[in-house]
Amino acid sequence: MSVLRFGLSSPGSIISNCNTKPSSIQIQRNKCMRNFYFDHLKSRNSVDNHAQGLEFRVSRANRGKRKTKFTLRSVIDFGKVVEPEASSAADESNSCLYDAIVIGSGIGGLVAATQLAVKGAKVLVLEKYVIPGGSSGFYERDGFKFDVGSSVMFGFSDKVFNALNSLQLKSLEEPLYLFGQFFKKPLECLTLAYYLPQNAGDIARKYIKDPDLLSFIDAECFIVSTVNATRTPMINASMVLCDRHFGGINYPVGGVGEIAKSLAKGLANHGSEILYKANVTSIIIEDGKAVGVKLSDGRKFYAKTVVSNATRWDTFGKLLKKEDLPEEEKRFQKAYVKAPSFLSIHLGVKADVLPPYTDCHHFILEDGWKNLEDPYGSIFLSIPTVLDASLAPEGNHILHIFTTSPVEDWEGLSRKDYEAKKELVADKIINRLEKKLFPGLKSSIVFKEVGTPKTHRRYLARDSGTYGPMPRGVPKGLLGMPFNTTAINGLYCVGDSCFPGQGVIAVAFSGVMCAHRVAADLGFEKKNPVLDTAHLQLLGWLRTLA
């Protein structure tokens, strides 16, 4: 049985019994407190700016003190809410009330919206649920505060993948920006271009022959992308893995949902709006241009541009008519399939079931490496209360348990059979954790909530509950991934089915890139129409090579 403790173990010490003392070659983290200021409203890839109401306070974890978290200040509300009866956007004659409408308030959508707002655009975010965040949101039950999905936070260090970190982060679809960056940082730009069509596994196998170490790299990439290293783009692997070992893994005080809440507050502070319980059912197209959206209750909102934070399958299969699928989307769906969803188990347990110095994040893989990519074969486990006790009642801990699960396993069942299967599968997963990590786990449970791919599909509006695209075969790095523009004028996409892919860092990058491209098209940033046309055609041609 292999247990990976994120950011705390070197390859030589990852395979261990949970009760054994850590290997002496374990990487020791910096023990001092470090403050990070992250301005979510600046179009810059940096961490030293004074934040507008958002401060990340990070202390490094070590075996003696479990304090790896960051504090968000001035998070009071979710942002300015548009009341349905007061919204003049319902008036169809006012077609340009907003500069941009963003469908969905996941991290990618919120970053795009806040970036646009700080540039001066008037933005409306439409969220189906009652809180922001999407899969980076939260819910509360019986005094416990659970993260919906993401619990592992990368990207808050000052040493993120060097080539990326040295560049001002804007849209790769905007040629003026690219030319400017190339003349300032030619070596870094050429480095990124060199690695763009390559996969992490191919590079690893050039230099590494040890099968266990290669399997370990496969597992690391699987944690990021739900596929092994040979199918994980090098850029994705570098962004996450390099930053994990340089900057470590951090956790926001109050839970991951505090990030989305702070972004929503920043959006409202800059004059834009977010509307909850707003279920977008279609994108309005007039004369070949996206001009607005229609909600399930019949209301319509109009804007100069529309940004979809839904998956590309939802955007082009539900919000738009599937029979009108553009050729570029057809190519994307031929090259990529929907990554599997997850079975999620949220537990509240008595604190004494955890051994002293239990790590926050674990990856459990039994029977060697052979079951890595199988459904239910490996288990993701996070215990955020190790770092932030406020998330649970005193004397309790939270366990977030996830394992890959296809939606097909849960279709066609009666309600009774569905509930019975949930309990059966969850019980098997808990038994595995009890056997390998925490003896007495089952008897310590005081709260349990089980979610299936159908749960993720229902509440997060994700087709089949998917968490992003997965290449059908061996991809040419990120060459085949679509960017933010689409074949439909005025319509943009953002999130995990756009470049650079899955993960909190990646979707945040996607949001910044999308905001820059949209801002240029709206006139808030410089652009050159002739260069734009040529550059976008070139990118489209390159994607056909993948």
Side-chain angles (χ1 to χ4, degrees):
M1 190 273 295
S2 305
V3 179
L4 278 66
R5 290 184 174 87
F6 294 101
L8 296 174
S9 301
S10 66
S13 63
I14 61 163
I15 302 176
S16 63
N17 184 286
C18 64
N19 295 319
T20 61
K21 189 176 180 180
S23 168
S24 60
I25 62 174
Q26 178 185 3
I27 298 174
Q28 293 297 320
R29 295 268 214 67
N30 186 347
K31 297 180 181 180
C32 65
M33 178 73 78
R34 300 200 339 175
N35 290 328
F36 286 79
Y37 295 92
F38 176 75
D39 189 345
H40 53 281
L41 302 180
K42 295 293 184 184
S43 182
R44 291 168 53 176
N45 184 24
S46 63
V47 292
D48 59 351
N49 298 320
H50 180 67
Q52 298 182 17
L54 181 62
E55 176 190 351
F56 295 96
R57 179 164 294 145
V58 185
S59 65
R60 298 301 181 201
N62 56 76
R63 297 299 294 183
K65 296 181 180 179
R66 291 286 164 204
K67 293 182 180 178
T68 307
K69 54 190 178 182
F70 48 92
T71 303
L72 288 86
R73 300 188 306 186
S74 302
V75 180
I76 300 172
D77 53 35
F78 294 168
K80 184 178 180 181
V81 177
V82 181
E83 296 297 337
E85 62 273 16
S87 176
S88 60
D91 181 2
E92 294 189 25
S93 64
N94 194 344
S95 60
C96 291
L97 177 61
Y98 296 98
D99 292 306
I101 288 174
V102 178
I103 305 170
S105 69
I107 295 299
L110 281 176
V111 168
T114 53
Q115 291 283 308
L116 282 168
V118 82
K119 296 175 191 292
K122 178 71 172 177
V123 184
L124 173 65
V125 177
L126 298 171
E127 169 55 45
K128 176 183 178 181
Y129 197 44
V130 296
I131 59 171
S135 57
S136 292
F138 69 96
Y139 71 94
E140 295 178 293
R141 296 285 190 280
D142 297 348
F144 294 93
K145 188 174 182 180
F146 295 103
D147 297 329
V148 169
S150 306
S151 286
V152 183
M153 294 289 107
F154 309 113
F156 298 101
S157 80
D158 53 357
K159 294 183 179 179
V160 183
F161 185 43
N162 290 340
L164 282 172
N165 197 46
S166 65
L167 301 176
Q168 186 183 26
L169 182 62
K170 289 188 177 182
S171 175
L172 300 183
E173 296 183 284
E174 205 290 289
L176 292 180
Y177 154 73
L178 283 182
F179 292 151
Q181 289 301 298
F182 182 79
F183 286 116
K184 292 178 182 178
K185 301 280 186 177
L187 181 60
E188 288 81 354
C189 289
L190 291 173
T191 298
L192 290 177
Y194 173 76
Y195 284 115
L196 184 65
Q198 300 194 58
N199 298 321
D202 296 333
I203 294 174
R205 281 158 176 78
K206 287 180 181 179
Y207 304 102
I208 300 170
K209 304 304 177 185
D210 182 271
D212 283 331
L213 183 53
L214 289 171
S215 294
F216 164 70
I217 294 171
D218 281 338
E220 289 270 34
C221 289
F222 179 80
I223 293 166
V224 176
S225 61
T226 66
V227 291
N228 62 37
T230 61
R231 300 166 68 194
T232 300
M234 185 62 185
I235 298 295
N236 290 56
S238 298
M239 280 195 301
V240 176
L241 301 184
C242 288
D243 190 50
R244 178 193 302 175
H245 294 289
F246 277 122
I249 295 178
N250 308 300
Y251 190 81
V253 172
V256 171
E258 296 299 309
I259 298 174
K261 286 166 63 177
S262 186
L263 287 168
K265 180 178 175 63
L267 180 72
N269 288 344
H270 281 77
S272 288
E273 301 162 342
I274 183 165
L275 173 60
Y276 299 100
K277 297 183 182 180
N279 182 23
V280 176
T281 55
S282 63
I283 296 170
I284 301 170
I285 305 293
E286 293 181 359
D287 298 325
K289 184 180 187 302
V291 297
V293 299
K294 182 179 180 180
L295 272 56
S296 57
D297 60 10
R299 282 178 292 156
K300 296 178 181 180
F301 294 84
Y302 289 84
K304 298 174 184 176
T305 57
V306 176
V307 178
S308 176
N309 193 197
T311 72
R312 295 189 92 98
W313 291 278
D314 289 288
T315 300
F316 290 96
K318 297 177 182 178
L319 302 180
L320 293 167
K321 295 179 180 178
K322 195 169 185 178
E323 55 267 27
D324 297 332
L325 195 67
E327 285 301 317
E328 184 175 84
E329 297 306 318
K330 291 180 182 178
R331 286 197 298 269
F332 168 73
Q333 294 189 18
K334 286 180 180 178
Y336 291 88
V337 297
K338 287 167 277 191
S341 187
F342 292 92
L343 178 82
S344 57
I345 307 169
H346 290 129
L347 298 181
V349 301
K350 296 176 182 177
D352 57 10
V353 76
L354 301 186
Y357 306 122
T358 296
D359 289 320
C360 180
H361 300 294
H362 307 255
F363 181 69
I364 296 91
L365 183 62
E366 299 122 321
D367 303 319
W369 307 100
K370 63 181 181 180
N371 297 323
L372 174 65
E373 297 181 75
D374 294 342
Y376 317 104
S378 51
I379 302 172
F380 302 83
L381 169 64
S382 291
I383 314 171
T385 42
V386 167
L387 303 175
D388 183 5
S390 70
L391 300 174
E394 187 175 355
N396 293 274
H397 276 296
I398 282 175
L399 271 64
H400 294 169
I401 306 164
F402 295 88
T403 184
T404 55
S405 174
V407 71
E408 291 78 13
D409 282 5
W410 304 93
E411 300 282 24
L413 301 174
S414 67
R415 187 67 190 178
K416 181 179 178 181
D417 290 342
Y418 175 73
E419 293 296 333
K421 183 172 182 176
K422 279 204 307 183
E423 290 302 310
L424 178 64
V425 176
D427 196 54
K428 289 180 178 179
I429 298 295
I430 294 169
N431 283 340
R432 289 162 64 185
L433 291 177
E434 184 173 55
K435 179 180 178 182
K436 297 296 184 180
L437 285 177
F438 307 125
L441 177 61
K442 290 183 69 174
S443 62
S444 76
I445 296 172
V446 298
F447 176 88
K448 181 173 69 173
E449 185 84 43
V450 182
T452 73
K454 293 178 71 173
T455 313
H456 295 264
R457 180 176 65 190
R458 176 184 177 186
Y459 288 101
L460 301 178
R462 288 178 167 272
D463 194 321
S464 302
T466 183
Y467 273 76
M470 186 171 71
R472 291 182 185 272
V474 178
K476 294 182 179 179
L478 281 172
L479 206 58
M481 282 291 286
F483 287 89
N484 302 115
T485 60
T486 71
I488 297 174
N489 186 22
L491 176 63
Y492 306 80
C493 286
V494 68
D496 53 27
S497 52
C498 301
F499 179 92
Q502 298 155 298
V504 176
I505 289 180
V507 298
F509 280 5
S510 173
V512 174
M513 294 173 185
C514 183
H516 179 229
R517 180 65 262 181
V518 174
D521 291 337
L522 288 171
F524 293 101
E525 295 271 6
K526 293 180 180 179
K527 64 177 287 186
N528 184 304
V530 176
L531 287 177
D532 275 355
T533 301
H535 182 61
L536 292 174
Q537 288 177 348
L538 174 62
L539 290 176
W541 175 75
L542 287 173
R543 282 194 289 274
T544 65
L545 301 180

